[in-house]
C-alpha cells in the first residue's frame, strides 16, 4: 500500500463544471454531465483504498437560483449518479432539503441510508443542501448521520468551503486542486493523499 | 491605493508560536509572547487600509488542555494584547466562554463591545472560544456580533479551520502562509491581499 495514512472520511467539492464546459466551447449547463463519470472514478479509488466514508457536494439551495437550464442539468446529473451507484457497492445517504420542489423526487427514497450491494463504503451526497437549513433543522443537525471529515479535496482552484458541511469541516485538512472537476484524473487524488500523509493531527491539543 | 478590493472582514489564525519557539531553542510556551507584536502590526495595516473588521483567533477551549505553563503563557499574551489595544483605536469584542476558569477575568469587561479612541476598526478576539460552545449557546450563536468573514489568513502552514467560527467561515476565501506567526512581516499580508484580488465572489449563485 502506497499510503500509510488513509483518511476515514473524505469530502469532495467537485467545482469547475461550468468553466470546463465554456473552455470546450459548450454551454455552461453541459458541464454537469461530464462531472458524473469522475465521481465514479473517485468512488472506486476510495473504496479500493479502504476509505470508510465519502461525501460529495452535489448542489446547494443557493445554486438553484442559477438559470433554469443549468438547474435542470445539475439536478439530472445528480439523479443519474445515484441511479448508477445503485448498481454498485455503497451505503448511500442523500442529504438536502427534500421539502423543496428543487429536490429531485427520484432521490427521496435515499434520504434514509440505503445499502447497495455489499455496502462496502458509506457515500453521502448533498443534494439541494443548505448550511442554514442543515443547522436550523428541528431536532438537531439535518446532516447528523454524516461524520466529521478528515480531508476535503476541492477541484477548480477556489480556496473556500462554500457552505460545505460547516460542522463536519471544523478540523478537516483542505486540499485545493486547480484542475477543473471534469478533467479529473487519479493522479490528482493521489497528490491530495500524498499531501495528507504529512499533515499532523492535533485537534487543538 | 495598491489594492482595489479590500475585504470588509479579515479573520486571522496566528499559528506556529510553539514551533517558532522550539526553532529558536526556547521552550514552547515562550512563543506566545512573540505573537503579540505581530498582531499589532497586522492591526495597523488593516486599519490603515480601511478594513472594517478584524477577527483574531486567540485560544480555544481545546487549547486549554495543553500543559499548564503553555496555558498560562497564551492567557497572558491575550491579556497583554487587549491591554495594549486599549491605548489605540478600536471597537473591541472578546468572544469566548467567560463562565470557565480558563477565561482570564481581566477580559470580562470586553465581552460586550468596548470603544477605544476613535474606534476606527472593529476588532474581535476569540479567547477561550469553542465552536460547540458558540453554536450551542442559548439564544442563538454566541458569536452573533461577529459578521461573516471575507478572507481568512492562516500562518504556520496548516490548511484547516481548526474550529474557527464555522458560521462566519462558510464563504470565506482561505489563504495559508507557511511562515510561522512570530515571523510575521507585512509582505506576507500583502501576498494574501494580492491573492484575494483575483478571487471571484459567487456565494453559490
Amino acid at each position: 500500500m502506497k499510503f500509510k495514512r488513509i483518511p476515514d472520511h473524505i469530502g469532495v467539492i467537485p467545482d469547475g463544471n461550468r468553466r470546463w464546459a465554456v473552455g470546450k466551447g459548450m454551454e455552461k449547463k453541459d458541464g454537469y454531465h461530464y462531472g458524473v463519470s469522475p465521481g465514479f472514478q473517485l468512488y472506486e479509488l476510495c473504496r479500493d483504498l479502504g476509505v470508510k466514508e465519502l461525501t460529495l457536494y452535489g448542489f446547494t439551495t443557493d445554486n438553484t437560483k442559477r438559470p433554469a437550464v443549468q438547474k435542470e442539468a445539475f439536478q439530472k446529473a445528480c439523479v443519474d449518479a445515484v441511479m448508477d451507484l445503485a448498481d454498485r457497492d455503497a451505503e448511500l445517504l442523500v442529504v438536502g432539503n427534500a421539502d423543496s420542489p428543487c429536490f429531485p423526487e427520484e432521490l427521496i427514497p435515499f434520504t434514509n441510508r440505503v445499502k447497495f450491494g455489499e455496502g462496502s463504503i458509506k457515500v453521502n451526497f448533498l443534494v439541494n443542501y443548505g448550511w442554514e437549513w442543515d443547522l436550523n433543522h428541528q431536532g438537531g443537525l439535518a446532516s447528523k448521520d454524516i461524520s466529521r471529515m478528515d480531508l476535503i479535496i476541492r477541484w477548480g482552484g477556489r480556496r473556500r468551503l462554500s457552505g460545505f458541511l460547516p460542522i463536519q469541516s471544523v478540523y478537516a485538512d483542505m486540499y485545493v486542486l486547480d484542475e477543473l472537476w471534469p478533467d479529473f484524473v487519479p493522479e490528482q487524488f493521489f497528490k491530495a493523499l500524498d499531501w495528507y500523509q504529512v499533515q499532523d493531527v492535533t485537534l487543538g491539543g
Side-chain angles (χ1 to χ4, degrees), chain A:
Chain A
M1 180 70 71
K2 188 184 170 199
F3 302 107
K4 283 194 176 170
R5 193 174 167 235
I6 297 291
D8 280 337
H9 185 177
I10 297 178
V12 172
I13 305 180
D15 195 24
N17 295 286
R18 293 186 296 173
R19 283 175 279 162
W20 181 88
V22 170
K24 296 281 180 193
M26 293 187 253
E27 289 181 59
K28 284 181 178 177
K29 70 170 175 60
D30 296 327
Y32 297 112
H33 168 72
Y34 294 90
V36 176
S37 163
F40 283 105
Q41 290 184 60
L42 186 64
Y43 150 84
E44 288 181 1
L45 289 167
C46 286
R47 192 196 54 196
D48 295 349
L49 280 170
V51 173
K52 296 192 179 79
E53 192 165 353
L54 172 66
T55 298
L56 291 132
Y57 213 2
F59 68 88
T60 67
T61 50
D62 284 329
N63 296 156
T64 63
K65 296 166 195 159
R66 293 178 185 166
V69 288
Q70 290 182 30
K71 184 174 84 171
E72 286 154 22
F74 61 62
Q75 286 169 326
K76 183 177 185 305
C78 289
V79 172
D80 288 349
V82 168
M83 296 309 154
D84 197 341
L85 188 66
D87 294 329
R88 309 184 188 218
D89 281 343
E91 288 191 50
L92 173 69
L93 178 68
V94 173
V95 173
N97 184 357
D99 296 330
S100 146
C102 293
F103 189 93
E105 60 178 7
E106 299 94 316
L107 301 186
I108 289 175
F110 309 105
T111 56
N112 291 301
R113 202 177 283 282
V114 174
K115 188 173 170 175
F116 300 136
E118 303 285 314
S120 46
I121 177 171
K122 278 188 185 178
V123 175
N124 310 306
F125 196 29
L126 304 190
V127 172
N128 201 40
Y129 173 86
W131 64 270
E132 285 172 298
W133 165 84
D134 187 3
L135 271 67
N136 297 325
H137 200 71
Q138 293 298 315
L141 220 55
S143 62
K144 63 179 184 299
D145 294 327
I146 300 181
S147 74
R148 190 178 285 175
M149 293 179 284
D150 302 297
L151 170 63
I152 295 173
I153 313 176
R154 180 169 185 146
W155 271 260
R158 289 173 184 153
R159 303 191 208 166
R160 61 178 83 134
L161 282 169
S162 303
F164 186 51
L165 294 168
I167 303 305
Q168 289 87 346
S169 301
V170 287
Y171 291 116
D173 282 308
M174 291 177 57
Y175 191 81
V176 176
L177 291 148
D178 286 330
E179 291 89 345
L180 305 176
W181 173 245
D183 282 329
F184 173 87
V185 290
E187 286 66 31
Q188 295 158 4
F189 176 63
F190 296 144
K191 242 165 76 174
L193 283 182
D194 276 335
W195 173 80
Y196 183 75
Q197 301 309 299
V198 294
Q199 303 311 305
D200 77 339
V201 180
T202 66
L203 301 176

